Amino acid sequence: DTAVSQTPKYLVTQMGNDKSIKCEQNLGHDTMYWYKQDSKKFLKIMFSYNNKELIINETVPNRFSPKSPDKAHLNLHINSLELGDSAVYFCASTGRTLKTFFGQGTRLTVV
Amino acid sequence: DAKTTQPPSMDCAEGRAANLPCNHSTISGNEYVYWYRQIHSQGPQYIIHGLKNNETNEMASLIITEDRKSSTLILPHATLRDTAVYYCIVRVGVGNTPLVFGKGTRLSVIA
């Protein structure tokens, strides 16, 4: 069973559209994150949630709105998509062992 | 910002040991050293972590210097599948602070 799963794996959309990426973890972890990896392959933290509460928002534009309906899910909604949003987005989670597990990534392409 | 320094790239012959160095001269007493790797564009994968003692698991060994200012990840018998970007990260051992990624070391295992 996949520990951290994201859908969709690929997303191609036009500028100005609104899209969502879903993430679910079946590890019973309390903390979940969203990371962005741009074309230069630099991985940057975007958001961190602990027990459905937002802990960290790393100066991400407010067009990005994470939503955590429960501890196992952290979805990412993006409004008014721009070309610069094209990247690979990774969801991750951490539990008491402090090991972080990552999803397989969602490759977003804005055209 | 990442608190670690790694060489940008290394090569290793298949079947030989790969030794990946990492400097973390400003590490705090409550910070662990973590190693992750990213194969192609997959999600980062946990390898190993340690505080001050050397650690070994089925994937690798971690050697931390006595002053904790540097460490070495050892892959004992590198295979072509170990070709990846390897990230050395320091993180506090309590709470669920997110991993902060640097540029890592691109390891190429050559047949």
Side-chain angles (χ1 to χ4, degrees), chain B residues 56-96:
Chain B
T56 295
N57 63 20
E58 65 279 2
M59 288 182 71
S61 294
L62 173 59
I63 308 297
I64 302 174
T65 57
E66 197 167 335
D67 63 8
R68 303 212 319 127
K69 292 186 177 181
S70 65
S71 60
T72 302
L73 178 75
I74 302 171
L75 307 178
H77 305 286
T79 71
L80 297 178
R81 284 186 236 176
D82 292 322
T83 293
V85 178
Y86 287 77
Y87 297 97
C88 170
I89 300 167
V90 297
R91 185 173 80 174
V92 293
V94 294
N96 284 331

Side-chain angles (χ1 to χ4, degrees), chain A residues 8-101:
Chain A
K9 190 170 182 180
Y10 299 97
L11 185 53
V12 181
T13 187
Q14 290 187 324
M15 275 182 6
N17 283 351
D18 303 338
K19 290 292 178 186
S20 292
I21 307 172
K22 295 186 176 181
C23 178
E24 176 182 6
Q25 53 96 3
N26 62 5
L27 299 166
H29 288 169
D30 289 336
T31 306
M32 296 184 72
Y33 317 88
W34 278 106
Y35 283 82
K36 178 181 180 181
Q37 188 166 40
D38 59 25
S39 57
K40 294 182 181 177
K41 303 296 186 184
F42 202 53
L43 263 165
K44 288 188 69 173
I45 181 71
M46 299 174 68
F47 299 103
S48 174
Y49 267 72
N50 190 54
N51 279 321
K52 304 192 299 175
E53 303 268 336
L54 177 66
I55 299 175
I56 293 174
N57 177 344
E58 287 289 334
T59 58
V60 177
N62 56 15
R63 296 183 295 103
F64 291 78
S65 52
K67 294 273 190 312
S68 182
D70 55 60
K71 269 177 32 171
H73 295 85
L74 181 61
N75 303 323
L76 184 64
H77 189 76
I78 316 170
N79 289 329
S80 304
L81 277 155
E82 300 176 357
L83 293 176
D85 298 331
S86 295
V88 182
Y89 293 84
F90 289 100
C91 177
S93 71
T94 301
R96 292 182 182 179
T97 64
L98 298 182
K99 294 179 188 177
T100 300
F101 292 84

